[in-house]
């Protein structure tokens, strides 16, 4: 008799901060660091979490997230859409998944509030 023990995916990943707040300077070029999200999963140490942007409100496409480390950076369109005079803040819904191989993956989301910082660009 051979018994194979398969890990049970009974924990949902979670963010270390619920509803984080970050800021970004208006007119920021592509690749500017905005913040980093951290998530954990209590199932085991070999869980591979992945991050993704689910939505933005409004949908402006200003941010991207590294799926492996949760780092938020600006996109190529950021310099044209991040204008403090027209948009002072926006919201980004981010998901983290545990990518379970044995059970359906468990996913958690959080909403990141992004404040657009003013720079003296209207001289």
């Amino acid at each position: 008799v051979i018994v194979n023990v398969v890990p049970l995916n009974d924990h949902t990943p979670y963010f270390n901060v619920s509803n984080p707040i970050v800021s970004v300077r208006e007119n920021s070029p592509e690749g500017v660091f905005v913040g980093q999200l951290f998530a954990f999963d209590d199932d085991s140490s070999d869980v591979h979490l992945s991050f993704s942007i689910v939505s933005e409100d409004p949908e402006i496409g200003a941010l991207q997230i590294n799926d492996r480390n949760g780092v938020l950076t600006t996109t190529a369109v950021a310099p044209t859409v991040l204008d403090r005079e027209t948009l002072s803040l926006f919201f980004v819904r981010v998901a983290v998944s545990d990518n379970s191989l044995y059970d359906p993956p468990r996913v958690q989301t959080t909403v990141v509030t992004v404040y657009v910082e003013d720079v003296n660009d209207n001289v």
Side-chain angles (χ1 to χ4, degrees), residues 7-114:
L8 180 64
N9 186 21
D10 56 349
H11 292 96
T12 300
Y14 58 93
F15 290 94
N16 70 324
V17 175
S18 60
N19 302 349
I21 298 171
V22 297
S23 62
V24 60
R25 291 172 57 111
E26 69 176 332
N27 305 321
S28 290
E30 181 178 11
V32 170
F33 176 85
V34 177
Q36 185 171 11
L37 302 181
F38 295 95
F40 304 93
D41 190 317
D42 293 334
D43 281 322
S44 70
S45 61
D46 63 346
V47 172
H48 300 288
L49 300 177
S50 64
F51 298 88
S52 61
I53 291 179
V54 177
S55 63
E56 286 182 318
D57 182 19
E59 292 281 342
I60 58 173
L63 298 183
Q64 59 194 357
I65 193 164
N66 183 297
D67 65 336
R68 293 182 312 276
N69 62 22
V71 170
L72 286 164
T73 56
T74 53
T75 64
V77 301
T80 60
V81 297
L82 292 178
D83 181 3
R84 174 66 170 83
E85 286 70 37
T86 60
L87 180 71
S88 61
L89 69 99
F90 62 101
F91 304 95
V92 180
R93 181 172 297 279
V94 174
V96 62
S97 172
D98 64 11
N99 299 306
S100 175
L101 300 175
Y102 305 105
D103 295 306
R106 291 180 175 253
V107 177
Q108 181 66 264
T109 63
T110 191
V111 175
V112 180
T113 300
V114 184

